[in-house]
């Protein structure tokens, strides 16, 4: 889904009191626990909120007819709240994520679809400068080539989330844009289906991305991201171009690090010319020299120092602009490579990949904090601060400083804590 950052979701999940308040209210409203007077009071609150929203929409230039039609039947959707509150029990591991998304069947289908739509994709490339294999990769990852575009009423889902105080302002703005899209005649309120968070159509644009970047590539007067492939590819390419995509560059590549490589240099924010990485001993996975292109690159280790290393370019940042998950960005790049006939990753898979649970991560964060480091509020979610604190800890105790949350580092932290309490 475009533009919903993992970090911001994490921060919001931490505001537990608001969530508890809303969920309690939700239970009453949605009749899971029947309490007639409270339910009636809550409905009145929603109705009052909706009246206010309708006034704002009218002031914002949306027609009365659209407001009446689109918001006539709207009520909070319990399932949207449930999905919004859902917290995964385990952390996502690299191979599990990648293997689920870049399957042989998906690669095969992507190649066929690229061949089928080659003419269209090349016309889109000529206008916006995005290579067909990347457009097909985004399309495959966002909706399995249009198979899954989400079955929620976008207006209903966004109204539910806008009414929730935790991210009310963000979703209220999205709801206004959704009404604008209907008002402009691109899609009817009824046909405007999407994900529980309001991501729409075959490349899952949220309404503000649609307003800013969707295009009418087939020229029928409507921007249709649900059914028009020209509009879908054109819009994805136009958006990528706006967020810095370079059509003459690829996303990155898997590389081989030299023995004794300083892991501190593996950092998305640390960019060097490819030639500088070559001088530091980094090579292609087959041992050959790196490309002689005048490009800035960063080295990343999304599965820690034991996993594959990647050298990533500016387009990798554009993918992160679309969706801030590093695993998502690697999946987009790798699927695009496989579509082009490049091989699977060369780094061997670990025999087993045991994911850390939220509880494990919370213990890790608590132990890091007790050492005077700053992993953020212990919430069981690994973010940038937790990674930075892990890196510092690893450096302090002489472990490979990759900032990767593994059982190895959790065990070391537990042992350090045990030693400290015994006064060693
Ligand atoms: Ca169109």
């Amino acid at each position: 889904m475009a533009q919903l950052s993992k970090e911001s979701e994490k921060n919001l999940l931490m505001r537990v009191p608001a969530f508890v308040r809303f969920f309690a209210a939700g239970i009453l409203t949605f009749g899971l626990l029947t309490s007639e007077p409270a339910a009636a009071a809550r409905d009145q609150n929603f109705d009052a909120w909706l009246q206010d929203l309708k006034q704002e929409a009218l002031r914002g230039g949306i027609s009365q007819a659209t407001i009446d039609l689109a918001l006539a039947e709207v009520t909070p959707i319990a399932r949207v709240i449930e999905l919004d509150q859902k917290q995964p029990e385990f952390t996502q591991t690299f191979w599990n994520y990648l293997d689920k998304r870049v399957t042989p069947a998906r690669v095969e289908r992507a190649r066929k679809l690229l061949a089928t739509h080659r003419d269209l994709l090349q016309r889109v490339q000529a206008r916006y400068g995005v290579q067909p294999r990347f457009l097909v990769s985004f399309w495959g990852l966002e909706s399995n080539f249009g198979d899954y575009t989400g079955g929620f009423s976008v207006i209903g889902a966004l109204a539910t989330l806008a009414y929730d105080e935790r991210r009310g302002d963000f979703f209220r703005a999205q709801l206004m844009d959704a009404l604008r899209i209907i008002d402009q005649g691109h899609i009817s309120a009824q046909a405007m289906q999407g994900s529980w968070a309001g991501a729409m159509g075959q490349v899952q644009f949220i309404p503000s991305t649609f307003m800013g970047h969707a295009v009418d590539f087939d020229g029928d007067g409507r921007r249709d991201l649900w059914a028009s492939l020209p509009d879908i590819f054109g819009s994805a390419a136009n958006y990528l171009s706006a967020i810095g995509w370079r059509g003459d560059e690829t996303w990155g590549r898997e590389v081989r690090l030299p023995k004794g490589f300083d892991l501190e240099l593996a950092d998305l924010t640390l960019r060097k010319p490819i030639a500088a990485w070559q001088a530091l001993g980094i090579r292609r996975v087959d041992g050959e020299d790196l490309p002689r292109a005048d490009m800035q690159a960063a080295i990343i280790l999304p599965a820690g120092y034991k996993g594959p290393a990647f050298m990533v370019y500016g387009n990798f940042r554009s993918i992160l602009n679309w969706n801030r998950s590093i695993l998502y960005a690697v999946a987009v790049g790798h699927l695009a490579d496989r579509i082009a006939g490049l091989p699977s990753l060369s780094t061997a898979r670990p025999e087993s990949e045991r994911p850390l649970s939220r509880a494990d991560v919370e213990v890790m964060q608590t132990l890091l904090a007790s050492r005077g480091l700053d992993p953020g509020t212990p919430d069981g979610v690994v973010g940038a601060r937790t990674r930075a604190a892990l890196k510092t800890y690893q450096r302090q105790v002489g472990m490979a400083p990759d900032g990767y949350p593994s059982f190895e580092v959790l065990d070391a932290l537990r042992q350090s804590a045990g030693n400290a309490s015994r006064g060693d």
Side-chain angles (χ1 to χ4, degrees):
M1 168 175 52
Q3 283 192 348
L4 255 190
S5 95
K6 290 281 175 280
E7 284 299 315
S8 69
E9 281 179 346
K10 174 186 160 174
N11 291 339
L12 286 149
L13 288 170
M14 277 155 41
R15 293 202 238 141
V16 171
F19 143 61
V20 171
R21 276 202 305 282
F22 185 79
F23 195 61
I27 287 170
L28 297 173
T29 306
F30 308 133
L32 301 173
L33 270 176
T34 310
S35 166
E36 286 304 326
R42 189 68 190 184
D43 286 345
Q44 277 170 16
N45 287 346
F46 182 76
D47 289 346
W49 176 87
L50 192 60
Q51 281 312 315
D52 179 61
L53 181 100
K54 287 177 177 175
Q55 290 305 315
E56 188 189 330
L58 205 56
R59 286 195 303 274
I62 294 158
S63 72
Q64 188 70 56
T66 292
I67 293 168
D68 289 346
L69 209 62
L71 297 173
E73 304 285 313
V74 69
T75 49
I77 303 169
R79 179 72 180 141
V80 168
I81 297 298
E82 195 186 316
L83 288 167
D84 189 39
Q85 312 292 8
K86 203 170 136 190
Q87 304 192 10
E89 193 185 344
F90 291 98
T91 54
Q92 188 63 255
T93 63
F94 178 84
W95 292 109
N96 183 42
Y97 185 95
L98 201 72
D99 288 345
K100 267 195 205 148
R101 284 160 184 81
V102 187
T103 62
R106 182 170 279 169
V107 170
E108 189 55 38
R109 190 166 164 213
R111 285 178 184 159
K112 281 190 180 138
L113 286 166
L114 191 146
T116 305
H117 302 293
R118 190 179 302 277
D119 287 351
L120 168 62
L121 287 160
Q122 284 175 346
R123 278 188 286 125
V124 170
Q125 180 180 23
R127 175 132 16 133
Y128 301 106
V130 180
Q131 305 93 314
R133 65 187 179 112
F134 284 101
L135 293 174
V136 173
S137 181
F138 276 102
W139 185 34
L141 288 167
E142 290 294 341
S143 67
N144 200 34
F145 315 106
D147 288 353
Y148 315 118
T149 57
F152 288 93
S153 150
V154 168
I155 295 295
L158 291 174
T160 303
L161 295 163
Y163 179 51
D164 177 352
E165 61 197 50
R166 295 173 312 140
R167 274 179 290 185
D169 292 347
F170 174 80
F171 284 111
R172 195 178 176 101
Q174 294 301 322
L175 181 54
M176 288 296 161
D177 277 341
L179 291 169
R180 241 165 242 129
I181 291 163
I182 294 165
D183 207 36
Q184 290 175 7
H186 300 299
I187 186 101
S188 72
Q190 205 171 19
M192 186 187 251
Q193 301 274 309
S195 78
W196 65 266
M200 310 182 298
Q202 299 196 22
V203 281
Q204 298 280 280
F205 276 18
I206 56 173
S208 58
T209 306
F210 184 111
M211 286 300 293
H213 305 286
V215 295
D216 173 23
F217 198 76
D218 63 12
D220 72 347
R222 298 189 309 124
R223 297 185 248 164
D224 179 0
L225 299 193
W226 290 264
S228 162
L229 281 182
D231 290 6
I232 289 159
F233 295 145
S235 299
N238 182 49
Y239 179 43
L240 283 166
S241 161
I243 54 180
W245 191 271
R246 303 249 339 219
D248 56 350
E249 292 181 9
T250 185
W251 68 281
R253 62 175 61 248
E254 190 186 2
V255 290
R256 189 192 287 173
L257 305 182
K259 252 195 158 50
F261 179 74
D262 177 4
L263 291 177
E264 298 283 335
L265 300 177
D267 182 331
L268 188 60
T269 63
L270 202 157
R271 279 179 286 179
K272 292 174 184 293
I274 293 177
W277 294 120
Q278 167 79 21
L280 283 165
I282 293 179
R283 296 292 178 268
R284 296 177 193 242
V285 285
D286 61 5
E288 295 291 314
D289 286 349
L290 295 178
R292 289 176 200 283
D294 181 22
M295 285 163 66
Q296 293 282 316
I299 303 296
I300 59 165
L301 294 165
Y305 75 102
K306 289 178 178 168
F310 298 93
M311 180 169 73
V312 295
Y313 310 130
N315 283 345
F316 191 77
R317 283 161 199 283
S318 298
I319 307 174
L320 287 174
N321 224 311
W322 177 300
N323 178 329
R324 288 192 204 176
S325 156
I326 298 257
L327 296 182
Y328 176 87
V330 170
V332 167
H334 184 55
L335 178 56
D337 281 354
R338 299 291 300 283
I339 292 170
L342 294 173
S344 311
L345 298 180
S346 78
T347 303
R349 280 167 170 66
E351 274 175 32
S352 66
E353 209 189 18
R354 213 173 118 216
L356 289 161
S357 68
R358 289 181 72 88
D360 294 328
V361 174
E362 244 183 84
V363 169
M364 185 179 277
Q365 290 168 324
T366 305
L367 290 171
L368 287 165
S370 74
R371 290 181 64 94
L373 299 169
D374 176 23
T377 310
D379 58 356
V381 181
V382 180
R385 281 160 83 184
T386 301
R387 281 182 215 283
L390 274 173
K391 232 174 193 185
T392 307
Y393 169 73
Q394 289 167 322
R395 213 168 31 229
Q396 285 172 355
V397 299
M399 295 177 81
D402 61 1
Y404 186 71
S406 63
F407 278 102
E408 201 181 344
V409 69
L410 177 57
D411 289 344
L413 273 163
R414 282 193 165 120
Q415 209 162 356
S416 307
N419 291 345
S421 68
R422 283 196 308 274
D424 292 1

